[in-house]
Amino acid sequence: MMGTKARLFTPVPSVSLEVLVPADHFYRHLDQGLDLSFVRDLVKDCYTQGGRPSIDPVVFFKLQLVMFFEGLRSERQLLRLAADRLSVRWYLGFNLDEPLPDHSSLTRIRTRYGLEIFRRFFAAVVEQCQQAGLVWGKELYFDATQVKADAAMDSLTTRFAVEARAERAEPQGNEQDHKQAHKVRADVEQHLEALFPLVSPPFPGLNEEELVAMNTVRHDWVADDGRQQREVTHGYRPRTADFRISTTDQDATPVRLKGGGTHLGYQTHYVVDGGKSRIIMSVLVTPGEVMENQPMLDLLWHTCFRYHVMPKQITGDTTYGTVENIAAVEREGIRAYVPLPNWEHKTGYLGPSHFTYDAEQDVYLCSHGAMLRRRRVEYTSRRVEYGADAATCNVCPLKAQCTPSNQGRVVHRHFDEAYLDRVRAYHKTADYQKAMRKRKVWVEPLFAEAKEWHGLRQFRLRRLWRVNIEALLMGVGQNLKRLMAKRGWGRRPLPNGSALTAQSRRSVRIPHFTLVEFLIGVVERHSTLCRHFFAFQPAH
């Protein structure tokens, strides 16, 4: 007899969510492993003493974590899922008959808190990772990745017109906020000398007050929330973003794709600890036009000061191997394990490596023994020019390979060339080779994880401060996955929260399994072997 199911809904009997949610559910482990009561102290200055009670800040941040672990892209979708997911209701502390917050409240709360609250939230999670022993602190790895913005290239228009309208509509309180940020930055940098005593002062003759004044007015990428320094071009041609701006997302800038084409996007910078857990120590989002190496020093000092770590080495790719970065890092006694640009094939002539510097005589010697003596000092570019005698060079048999000039070969030496020589010496050591191999599997897989599982391929929010918040919350979620694994949660949840990937399925030991489950595992691991196995099965 065929049965039929009548749609008859009766009131729910008296039942508790504590009974309905399984004891080994992921959100139970998350609730036990991460106590979010500390967020009330972080946000207490954002509320007044009287008035109508607001949404609990703990509930707000729990919703942000649910959005990360569930792989959701909007607050509307988040609240819809929370309305009919028993485990999420239990995690938030809402009963079955209790109404959930409106999705628009989450947007207003994010605006009220601002970027600084989310930075403190991220730092608090990193500190918990430190207390759990997941942060090593001896090595730091730097890398960045391009992330698309929620804006199209068709939205680009003339910059001066958009900025003129924005200045007329901008409130006057922003200037005071920038002054406060500069004051905080100056207070932080006053303590850096205690953590990192200078080996040789970079600005001899300046006292402490003058150095503090210089640091107060300089551009700090972290304190300025990753904003581009438009008034500084470093002698390059004007950037496209200097005269073109998007009306959809005014902070997103054109970025060239590796496979060709251009899109509006950002650069997401990670600083990752060298320990086995690969804890993300710092996160910063900058416009797509910003080079990876520009915020490196600010991220390094911020990480060292905030978490009281003193790394012995920092590692990055060739982009980070600028003279300014290397000199600043080596001056503090930190080894810069970064590749240096190959200048040998830039011009088609013999490069600087074919010349030997004699420090006692302050001259360069070519392979034929000719001297290149000091000619002039370029203080703007911080380098010294050395030149050979024109008569000697013009009769040299290697002149066609060395220089096209009839005035003699010229070689430039940077003021900090000694630090570059020190880094070149690192390249021959086993520690440097190990760091280069380790870099390939340390930061880039974190970017791949965030893009494949958690939606980092494209930001869902707009404007620089909002995408910084989005990236910080993503870093929090990635760190929490490592922290939860340390505290007993052995599985790695997919964006939907409960399923297991093929990799995580392999890591879970199943004591009893069927023949079908065994064959599925064999297919996943040895697909080629299985194809041969089934190909030679006898016909029935």
Side-chain angles (χ1 to χ4, degrees):
M1 176 180 178
M2 181 184 296
T4 59
K5 178 67 175 69
R7 294 178 59 84
L8 178 62
F9 299 106
T10 59
V12 179
S14 178
V15 62
S16 173
L17 285 176
E18 289 288 347
V19 178
L20 297 176
V21 179
D24 62 342
H25 197 276
F26 169 74
Y27 285 116
R28 284 190 180 272
H29 286 271
L30 181 61
D31 187 66
Q32 296 173 2
L34 180 65
D35 183 12
L36 291 177
S37 59
F38 67 88
V39 301
R40 295 191 178 95
D41 293 331
L42 296 180
V43 303
K44 61 182 179 180
D45 294 336
C46 299
Y47 297 92
T48 59
Q49 296 297 327
R52 185 179 62 179
S54 68
I55 298 175
D56 191 344
V58 175
V59 173
F60 171 79
F61 281 99
K62 283 185 176 181
L63 283 169
Q64 304 304 310
L65 296 181
V66 171
M67 179 178 288
F68 170 82
F69 286 111
E70 301 294 336
L72 305 178
R73 297 288 294 174
S74 70
E75 281 78 7
R76 288 178 183 268
Q77 190 179 10
L78 171 63
L79 269 301
R80 287 175 183 174
L81 179 138
D84 59 3
R85 181 76 68 83
L86 297 180
S87 58
V88 175
R89 277 186 171 271
W90 177 90
Y91 180 59
L92 299 177
F94 282 79
N95 207 351
L96 290 173
D97 58 348
E98 194 172 357
L100 291 167
D102 188 77
H103 66 87
S104 61
S105 300
L106 304 185
T107 303
R108 291 193 293 268
I109 292 174
R110 182 177 60 237
T111 304
R112 180 191 306 162
Y113 288 170
L115 176 58
E116 185 59 31
I117 294 297
F118 289 90
R119 278 183 177 162
R120 295 177 184 177
F121 178 65
F122 174 85
V125 173
V126 175
E127 288 177 350
Q128 293 201 24
C129 294
Q130 277 187 303
Q131 296 171 5
L134 299 181
V135 175
W136 186 28
K138 302 300 182 182
E139 300 175 1
L140 293 178
Y141 291 81
F142 292 77
D143 206 352
T145 186
Q146 296 178 0
V147 183
K148 292 183 179 180
D150 187 20
M153 290 293 294
D154 295 338
S155 63
L156 288 176
T157 186
T158 307
R159 174 176 284 275
F160 77 88
V162 176
E163 291 183 346
R165 289 195 298 267
E167 289 178 1
R168 291 195 296 268
E170 186 178 4
Q172 299 297 324
N174 289 346
E175 182 178 356
Q176 184 65 27
D177 295 340
H178 285 296
K179 291 182 179 179
Q180 181 66 20
H182 285 305
K183 179 180 181 300
V184 173
R185 185 170 71 239
D187 294 339
V188 169
E189 291 178 348
Q190 285 181 351
H191 295 82
L192 286 178
E193 186 177 357
L195 283 175
F196 306 100
L198 296 177
V199 178
S200 59
F203 303 104
L206 295 180
N207 55 34
E208 183 177 357
E209 290 76 11
E210 292 173 330
L211 287 175
V212 171
M214 291 176 59
N215 290 333
T216 303
V217 299
R218 78 174 183 87
H219 184 74
D220 188 323
W221 290 96
V222 177
D224 292 334
D225 305 335
R227 295 185 185 90
Q228 175 63 285
Q229 201 174 8
R230 292 268 162 229
E231 62 275 9
V232 178
T233 60
H234 301 286
Y236 303 141
R237 64 180 182 178
R239 299 162 293 214
T240 302
D242 290 339
F243 51 88
R244 300 278 287 173
I245 189 173
S246 170
T247 55
T248 305
D249 188 347
Q250 299 179 10
D251 296 320
T253 57
V255 178
R256 291 185 178 180
L257 296 172
K258 295 181 179 179
T262 307
H263 67 84
L264 294 178
Y266 293 93
Q267 287 267 23
T268 300
H269 304 259
Y270 273 10
V271 180
V272 181
D273 177 64
K276 293 182 179 180
S277 298
R278 295 182 300 154
I279 298 300
I280 303 171
M281 305 293 289
S282 292
V283 177
L284 180 67
V285 180
T286 61
E289 61 181 335
V290 177
M291 293 292 293
E292 299 177 16
N293 56 66
Q294 291 181 262
M296 173 190 164
L297 292 178
D298 291 329
L299 286 171
L300 173 60
W301 307 139
H302 170 81
T303 301
C304 295
F305 176 76
R306 181 63 183 80
Y307 305 111
H308 304 284
V309 296
M310 183 61 176
K312 295 182 179 179
Q313 69 183 54
I314 60 100
T315 307
D317 56 23
T318 310
T319 311
Y320 294 92
T322 63
V323 180
E324 293 78 11
N325 289 345
I326 291 175
V329 170
E330 289 288 336
R331 192 180 294 121
E332 309 302 337
I334 304 174
R335 291 194 171 191
Y337 284 167
V338 293
L340 296 178
N342 185 8
W343 301 107
E344 301 298 319
H345 304 289
K346 292 292 183 179
T347 60
Y349 296 97
L350 297 179
S353 63
H354 292 79
F355 298 84
T356 305
Y357 179 69
D358 188 344
E360 294 182 0
Q361 303 183 51
D362 192 19
V363 296
Y364 272 96
L365 300 175
C366 75
S367 56
H368 276 221
M371 284 190 180
L372 284 75
R373 303 182 184 278
R374 178 188 288 232
R375 284 184 178 178
R376 60 192 179 96
V377 179
E378 302 174 0
Y379 290 98
T380 304
S381 57
R382 292 178 54 80
R383 61 182 187 173
V384 182
E385 180 181 296
Y386 295 82
D389 183 63
T392 304
C393 281
N394 291 335
V395 298
C396 179
L398 297 179
K399 179 181 183 301
Q401 304 176 25
C402 186
T403 178
S405 174
N406 293 326
Q407 305 300 321
R409 175 61 191 261
V410 174
V411 174
H412 293 90
R413 181 177 179 84
H414 199 275
F415 289 0
D416 298 315
E417 191 72 25
Y419 295 118
L420 298 181
D421 293 338
R422 189 184 302 178
V423 172
R424 293 187 185 97
Y426 296 157
H427 293 178
K428 303 176 182 179
T429 63
D431 290 340
Y432 172 84
Q433 299 298 332
K434 179 181 178 181
M436 288 294 102
R437 294 193 300 268
K438 189 175 179 179
R439 185 194 68 83
K440 297 179 181 179
V441 296
W442 226 246
V443 189
E444 293 181 3
L446 290 175
F447 287 139
E449 172 190 332
K451 290 185 176 183
E452 293 293 333
W453 286 7
H454 305 297
L456 190 62
R457 292 191 181 276
Q458 180 174 358
F459 285 119
R460 67 182 185 89
L461 301 176
R462 296 170 179 171
R463 301 308 302 268
L464 188 58
W465 70 274
R466 291 192 183 96
V467 297
N468 265 287
I469 290 175
E470 188 174 348
L472 284 169
L473 290 175
M474 198 161 296
V476 167
Q478 290 183 275
N479 286 341
L480 279 178
K481 291 165 71 173
R482 277 84 186 158
L483 183 61
M484 293 301 298
K486 174 70 173 181
R487 293 178 175 175
W489 178 255
R491 291 180 287 175
R492 293 160 49 190
L494 274 175
N496 63 2
S498 58
L500 295 176
T501 62
Q503 290 87 350
S504 57
R505 193 185 298 117
R506 298 187 192 110
S507 64
V508 179
R509 296 186 60 187
I510 305 177
H512 302 287
F513 48 83
T514 64
L515 179 60
V516 175
E517 292 174 337
F518 170 75
L519 291 177
I520 291 175
V522 172
V523 170
E524 290 178 347
R525 295 190 181 115
H526 309 290
S527 58
T528 305
L529 178 62
C530 286
R531 284 197 300 269
H532 289 289
F533 172 76
F534 288 113
F536 287 94
Q537 288 300 304
H540 295 284

